[in-house]
Structures are given as C-alpha cells and as structure tokens.
Amino acid sequence: MPISTPSGDLRTLADWLESYRSAPMGHFVPPAGPVLLVGAPVAESSKVRIDLTHNHQIHDLYQARSGNEPPTQVQSSPATLAPRPLNRPEEQAVIAVLRRPMTPGPHISVGRAPICDVVLPFGRVSKVHAYLSDSMGWTISDAGSTNGTLVNDQKLVAGEWKPLRDGQKVGFGTLQAEFWLPASFVNRVLATRR
C-alpha cells in the first residue's frame, strides 16, 4: 500500500513485490531508471516554513521551472516526515531517480523542496540537498546541505563528485537510503519474496 507524503504517494518495496506476483509471467515492468530505497516516513509533529526568497538554489530552480518569482513562504502540510530505518518491505519506500521534464542543467536535484527532481520529504533533508549525475556513470555531490551527504558512511565535501555504485548506502542527513539500478532492484524485489 503506498505511503502518502506532501509530495505524493510513495510506493513501497511490498507494492513492487505485489506487482511482480500479479504480473503475468515475463511481464513485470522494472523501474525506468535507478531508485532510492528509503525507510518509509513517519509524520513529525511540527510544520516547516520554507522561505524561497533567501535560498538561491531553490529560487533559481523555481524560476527556471515556472518562469515566475517564487512565493515569499511556503508552508508544508502535512508536517515534514521522519524516516524509519530499512526494515520490512512494507516500510521501505521506493523513490525513482528521474529528471523532471524541462529541468535546467545536467544534474538531478535531490532534496526536501517540492521543486527538486527527487523529492525526499523528510525533516533532516535540506531543501536542495544533493545532485546526481549520470553523464559519466552515476555520481553524487553534496549541494552544501546543512546535515551533509554520505556515501558508504563517508561524508562528501560540498561540490565534490563521488562515484555512486549499485547497492551503495547513501545518507542524506540522517536519512539512510540505498541506490539501486533497475536490474539490481528487480533482483532485490525477487530476494524479498523468499
């Protein structure tokens, strides 16, 4: 059953497993691109105000996508979400790593802000937290986030690009995730059913 978040429903690993089980033999459709597997969110009690005028990354992304100046403040509703550790399939959210149409620049933005390509609606994730690129194999860079980006528990220096391999652990602040390419993700789904 999908998990509801302010940015839309997140499918879980259990949902993917059910899709596999219900698909006719040989007709299971894997994700179109890589995915991040994260602990399903739990609502936190406080609401967050996002001031779009003082964050240049958010301002530029908003302006590039909409052609307008961003609103002074946006209040997320419901409250931000806190991640759970990766446990049971029904508690593991599957988030597609895809560039939105008409995104400027060569990178995929990852963050809490609804205008990011990959939205991670969790309280400890920065508005624009990191960037992913697939131009020379998958790489990741911290965008100057407050709580840092980690790859296999190694903190990245803001602006430095690090190779990202299939199945690696990625930390966005306190959010723990796993990066999976489509074929390996299918293998992960199949391993879950056992």
Side-chain angles (χ1 to χ4, degrees):
M1 182 164 176
I3 301 161
S4 293
T5 74
S7 59
D9 288 346
L10 300 178
R11 286 184 69 191
T12 66
L13 189 57
D15 294 331
W16 280 93
L17 181 57
E18 184 57 35
S19 295
Y20 174 80
R21 287 182 180 145
S22 62
M25 184 67 97
H27 294 315
F28 175 68
V29 180
V35 298
L36 290 172
L37 189 61
V38 300
V42 180
E44 291 180 347
S45 58
S46 63
K47 291 195 175 198
V48 172
R49 283 193 160 300
I50 302 173
D51 186 347
L52 299 178
T53 58
H54 290 63
N55 185 309
H56 296 292
Q57 293 168 320
I58 297 284
H59 181 274
D60 294 347
L61 280 171
Y62 187 92
Q63 200 169 37
R65 293 218 173 114
S66 70
N68 301 315
E69 286 293 313
T72 304
Q73 291 189 337
V74 175
Q75 184 163 340
S76 68
S77 180
T80 58
L81 302 169
R84 290 182 186 156
L86 297 177
N87 293 322
R88 299 178 310 197
E90 62 274 10
E91 296 176 344
Q92 297 176 28
V94 179
I95 301 174
V97 176
L98 298 171
R99 184 176 290 110
R100 287 185 180 182
M102 307 205 17
T103 298
H107 310 305
I108 298 170
S109 58
V110 179
R112 187 179 75 235
I115 59 170
C116 287
D117 294 304
V118 178
V119 178
L120 301 175
F122 307 101
R124 298 288 188 246
V125 175
S126 293
K127 294 171 212 150
V128 178
H129 198 102
Y131 294 103
L132 295 167
S133 176
D134 63 347
S135 59
M136 300 180 294
W138 283 98
T139 56
I140 187 168
S141 176
D142 184 78
S145 64
T146 302
N147 295 311
T149 303
L150 295 94
V151 174
N152 283 346
D153 299 323
Q154 299 283 324
K155 188 170 183 174
L156 302 181
V157 175
E160 177 184 325
W161 288 92
K162 178 108 174 152
L164 193 56
R165 306 214 191 312
D166 198 17
Q168 270 189 319
K169 293 180 194 173
V170 181
F172 300 98
T174 58
L175 174 67
Q176 294 299 306
E178 295 172 357
F179 176 82
W180 292 96
L181 296 173
S184 298
F185 175 71
V186 170
N187 291 335
R188 177 84 160 84
V189 170
L190 296 178
T192 303
R193 72 181 182 149
R194 295 183 183 115

